[in-house]
Amino acid sequence: SLPAAAIHRGAPGPSVPESPGAAAAAGSLFRPLSAEDGEQRPAEIESLCMNCFRNGVTRLLLTRIPFFKEIIVSSFACDSCSWSNTEIQSAGRIQEQGVRYTLAITSRQDMNREVVKTDCATARIPELDFEIPAFTQKGVLTTIEGIIDRAVAGLEQDQPIRRVTDEEVASKIDEFIGKLKQLKEVHSPFTFIIDDPSGNSFVENPHAPQKDDALVVTHYRRTPQQAAMLGLEVMGSCCSVVSPLHVLQFNTNCPECNAPANTNMKLVQIPHFKEVIIMATNCDSCGHRTNEVKSGGAIEPQGTRITLQITDPSDMTRDILKSETCSVEIPELEFELGMGALGGKFTTLEGLLKDIRDLVERNPFTLGDSSTPGKTEKLQEFIGKLNEIIEGKTKAHFIMDDPAGNSYLQNVYAPEEDPELKVERYERTFEQNEDLGLNDMKTEGYESEGASGR
């Protein structure tokens, strides 16, 4: 992660190439922060101070933080009036789905949770009927207490003028500011919500990789209004059909270095299951490769829960299709991977477990410089146990829960029953149907409406 103190000091980091040739020589424009880059400095630009209207210095640092994609850190300092300002802007791609973090704050320690809030995210505290609308604040890497402090500072900014022009409004704002400050002491529980249609915000889970009962992460499809707010083109209905005999290719950008790349897409029939669409991207510039799987069929009438008892190293070679709506659980490790994490994958059990291990290791809030020694030891122990499962030294249960019913785990005894594999069908809850967008979906009456319209 990126320490706040380092931002204010103008921390050492990769410089911005001055030309396309320099960018090519340096590799990716957004480079990860590293102790090896100590001699390089951020780009410095002379700019106007909006406090005293004299010239100050803005420092720009283009970097890549693991798990958060690329960001631009800008820090302004004025030597004349000592005014300073720090902002973070997301430079990465907008995610396929929006994300909503709902945190039940019950202790003073919860106020220290790290938060990445982009400028298009909305922050809410329902108990106070308080909301920070999208695009009213710049993106920040801070804590929950820091977000409340910024809100208090914003409300206090014009209070001297209000006390002169409208004393009644000023007194009400003072009262509300007092309530916000009392929240930081956590005398009573309250709820903190961050809703980001771009999907690039984040709230720390201090118990990772274990599940955090106080934190609910919900991924959702953007509405047309939210897509327009983000400047995304609202796509119309797709009339083309993907043929299972052909590989379609279309232009895209590499998710790592943002260079032009090609994505291949093919329809594949999985034996004893259904059709899926596999998309693979290969970047010639940086060598990055990625693949993603989408279900080629409809949402199943029932959800699917698949339980595999890992008893032999050969279980690691089983094929797995994990859809983007599937969550993964390993009870022996008290580990749960939420819906939407890692996206859709078509791989082996070994490959998926290694992806989970890499996801934990790349998270800066778990093993980065924001982590505490106790947390680091705990996570290293978790990774050691996970490696033992991957190597076949430890038996464990592997559980996949997909409300959409579009995930698959290979039955090596097919078409006979697998003694180590258990597949359960269940009725979805209202909340699961809401996450899948089924509660608002209308499939009846279109012909009559069309006839009346004509």
Side-chain angles (χ1 to χ4, degrees):
S1 69
L2 193 61
I7 300 176
H8 289 290
R9 291 195 303 267
S15 59
V16 181
E18 297 179 356
S19 64
S28 173
L29 185 63
F30 294 88
R31 298 175 56 195
L33 286 177
S34 170
E36 304 299 327
D37 295 331
E39 296 181 358
Q40 295 180 338
R41 309 293 297 180
E44 296 187 355
I45 304 171
E46 187 176 354
S47 51
L48 180 67
C49 174
M50 301 308 295
N51 188 48
C52 68
F53 299 102
R54 298 180 181 179
N55 283 345
V57 176
T58 296
R59 294 177 175 85
L60 291 178
L61 179 62
L62 281 65
T63 185
R64 180 187 297 113
I65 295 182
F67 195 77
F68 303 125
K69 309 298 182 185
E70 297 87 1
I71 65 169
I72 300 174
V73 181
S74 62
S75 178
F76 175 81
C78 178
D79 294 333
S80 301
C81 65
S82 300
W83 188 72
S84 62
N85 183 35
T86 303
E87 297 177 4
I88 289 182
Q89 294 181 343
S90 175
R93 62 196 305 176
I94 294 176
Q95 304 303 310
E96 290 190 3
Q97 293 182 314
V99 66
R100 183 185 302 108
Y101 291 88
T102 304
L103 174 65
I105 298 178
T106 58
S107 66
R108 189 67 179 81
Q109 292 179 341
D110 289 332
M111 302 298 294
N112 296 325
R113 293 193 186 218
E114 300 271 7
V115 173
V116 173
K117 177 184 174 296
T118 66
D119 53 357
C120 60
T122 300
R124 297 198 303 270
I125 301 176
E127 286 79 1
L128 291 185
D129 196 19
F130 173 72
E131 177 176 313
I132 302 175
F135 299 107
T136 58
Q137 289 185 352
K138 297 296 184 180
V140 290
L141 173 59
T142 180
T143 61
I144 293 177
E145 182 178 4
I147 289 181
I148 294 178
D149 285 339
R150 285 170 64 92
V152 170
L155 291 172
E156 289 179 338
Q157 183 175 3
D158 295 329
Q159 278 298 85
I161 300 176
R162 292 193 192 100
R163 292 189 181 98
V164 175
T165 58
D166 196 332
E167 187 175 352
E168 182 179 356
V169 173
S171 62
K172 290 182 178 179
I173 293 179
D174 283 333
E175 181 182 354
F176 189 80
I177 290 174
K179 292 180 180 180
L180 281 177
K181 291 181 177 179
Q182 288 178 1
L183 285 182
K184 297 194 298 182
E185 302 301 325
V186 196
H187 295 306
S188 60
F190 66 95
T191 306
F192 178 80
I193 302 173
I194 281 191
D195 192 331
D196 187 357
S198 73
N200 287 324
S201 290
F202 181 79
V203 176
E204 177 191 7
N205 173 10
H207 308 292
Q210 280 77 29
K211 181 181 179 181
D212 187 350
D213 295 331
L215 182 64
V216 178
V217 184
T218 305
H219 296 268
Y220 61 88
R221 296 186 182 276
R222 284 183 286 269
T223 63
Q225 293 78 11
Q226 289 174 326
M229 179 185 69
L230 296 174
L232 300 177
E233 180 181 0
V234 181
M235 302 298 292
S237 59
C238 179
C239 299
S240 60
V241 178
V242 180
S243 170
L245 302 178
H246 299 90
V247 177
L248 298 182
Q249 188 176 83
F250 53 91
N251 297 327
T252 183
N253 289 342
C254 173
E256 284 295 321
C257 68
N258 211 35
N262 292 325
T263 294
N264 297 321
M265 182 170 67
K266 191 178 191 303
L267 190 65
V268 177
Q269 174 68 46
I270 297 180
H272 307 287
F273 191 53
K274 61 171 65 175
E275 292 180 336
V276 297
I277 298 174
I278 298 180
M279 296 184 292
T281 303
N282 184 15
C283 179
D284 295 332
S285 298
C286 67
H288 177 73
R289 294 185 178 185
T290 182
N291 66 80
E292 190 171 359
V293 177
K294 300 287 187 182
S295 173
I299 295 177
E300 294 294 316
Q302 293 179 310
T304 303
R305 182 179 174 89
I306 305 173
T307 303
L308 172 67
Q309 185 175 0
I310 303 173
T311 57
D312 190 85
S314 62
D315 288 329
M316 292 294 113
T317 62
R318 292 180 184 245
D319 289 333
I320 277 186
L321 170 64
K322 175 196 170 297
S323 75
E324 63 271 17
T325 58
C326 179
S327 61
V328 173
E329 183 179 353
I330 305 177
E332 286 78 3
L333 300 183
E334 297 181 358
F335 171 79
E336 182 173 344
L337 183 71
M339 182 174 66
L342 289 178
K345 292 260 180 200
F346 184 37
T347 178
T348 61
L349 178 57
E350 180 183 8
L352 184 59
L353 292 178
K354 287 183 176 180
D355 287 341
I356 292 174
R357 181 189 62 190
D358 294 342
L359 179 66
V360 174
E361 290 179 335
R362 291 199 309 265
N363 191 335
F365 293 135
T366 56
L367 293 178
D369 52 12
S370 290
S371 61
T372 59
K375 184 189 297 183
T376 302
E377 294 175 1
K378 181 180 178 182
L379 285 163
Q380 292 291 3
E381 180 182 356
F382 167 81
I383 292 174
K385 292 180 179 178
L386 185 59
N387 285 331
E388 291 180 357
I389 295 176
I390 295 174
E391 295 168 3
K393 299 178 181 178
T394 304
K395 297 181 179 180
H397 288 81
F398 181 82
I399 302 174
M400 302 172 64
D401 192 339
D402 187 357
N406 287 327
S407 293
Y408 164 83
L409 181 56
Q410 182 185 12
N411 175 5
V412 294
Y413 296 93
E416 304 296 330
E417 289 189 3
D418 189 333
E420 309 297 342
L421 188 65
K422 181 180 179 182
V423 181
E424 303 172 86
R425 305 285 180 178
Y426 63 87
E427 296 295 331
R428 285 185 289 268
T429 64
F430 179 86
E431 290 75 15
Q432 288 173 325
N433 283 329
E434 186 72 17
D435 291 338
L436 296 174
L438 298 179
N439 292 332
D440 300 326
M441 187 177 295
K442 182 179 179 182
T443 58
E444 298 86 10
Y446 282 106
E447 292 184 1
S448 60
E449 291 181 6
S452 61
R454 292 192 295 271

